[in-house]
Amino acid sequence: MIVCVDAAYSDTASAAAGVIAKSWSDGEPHDTVIVQTATSADYEPGAFYKRELPLLEAVIACMSLRPATVVIDGYVWLGRDGEMGLGAHLHKALENTVPVVGIAKSAFAHDDWSRPVLRGVSKRPLFVTAVGMACDAAATLVAGMHGAGRLPTLVQAADRAARAAVGTR
């Protein structure tokens, strides 16, 4: 079982959604978990994880079963030197027991460590990073996820569910 997670914010609320699938190739969610809060931490440059991590942890805590893998919208690592991104912080919070795959839509500065993945007819890659599994294996799994477009169907579903929970589109 995998879970694709994403968070969204408005002026008055924050939310995270977890779209649960039984396999990487599923096109429909098995279940969806949504967590809402009245406020969130302010965005802190260089410490994005402080804002998003508590929401993602709350989603996973609400799941009836621990996921085999978590897919996030963002980077796991922020460089070859091991600087932790959101995904690495989540992996640590999960006691290093659940692999985390990061799918970023924009390249991090000087990125030469992620695996670019082209999906569908898009000419713009997704940038895949991972912890708890080999990055090449993660890139292959992301490439095989359901959806004809650049973003996998379940990743899009997590984004939409989180945005809907805070009333943004």
Side-chain angles (χ1 to χ4, degrees):
M1 171 176 61
I2 68 165
V3 61
C4 299
V5 293
D6 204 353
Y9 310 92
S10 72
D11 292 339
T12 59
S14 58
V19 173
I20 301 164
K22 291 183 178 182
S23 75
W24 284 86
S25 60
D26 286 357
E28 293 290 325
H30 172 68
D31 198 4
T32 300
V33 174
I34 297 173
V35 173
Q36 295 175 286
T37 63
T39 60
S40 67
D42 289 336
Y43 171 73
E44 183 181 327
F48 169 69
Y49 74 93
K50 290 181 181 179
R51 182 179 196 192
E52 200 142 314
L53 182 61
L55 292 166
L56 303 186
E57 287 179 294
V59 165
I60 293 166
C62 288
M63 293 176 61
S64 59
L65 297 173
R66 194 156 180 116
T69 307
V70 178
V71 177
I72 66 161
D73 177 7
Y75 273 84
V76 171
W77 303 107
L78 301 180
R80 286 194 179 276
D81 62 356
E83 185 177 350
M84 295 170 65
L86 174 62
H89 284 284
L90 180 58
H91 186 252
K92 183 178 177 182
L94 297 172
E95 300 174 338
N96 303 322
T97 60
V98 178
V100 177
V101 174
I103 299 176
K105 295 179 287 282
S106 301
F108 194 76
H110 311 294
D111 177 357
D112 65 353
W113 61 93
S114 71
R115 300 301 184 273
V117 173
L118 290 171
R119 290 181 36 88
V121 296
S122 179
K123 302 247 187 274
R124 293 181 10 195
L126 296 171
F127 302 93
V128 177
T129 52
V131 62
M133 77 167 58
C135 195
D136 288 335
T140 298
L141 289 167
V142 169
M145 290 179 81
H146 182 273
R150 181 176 182 230
L151 289 175
T153 302
L154 298 178
V155 172
Q156 289 178 327
D159 175 71
R160 282 193 307 272
R163 288 177 188 271
V166 295
T168 62
R169 293 286 169 194

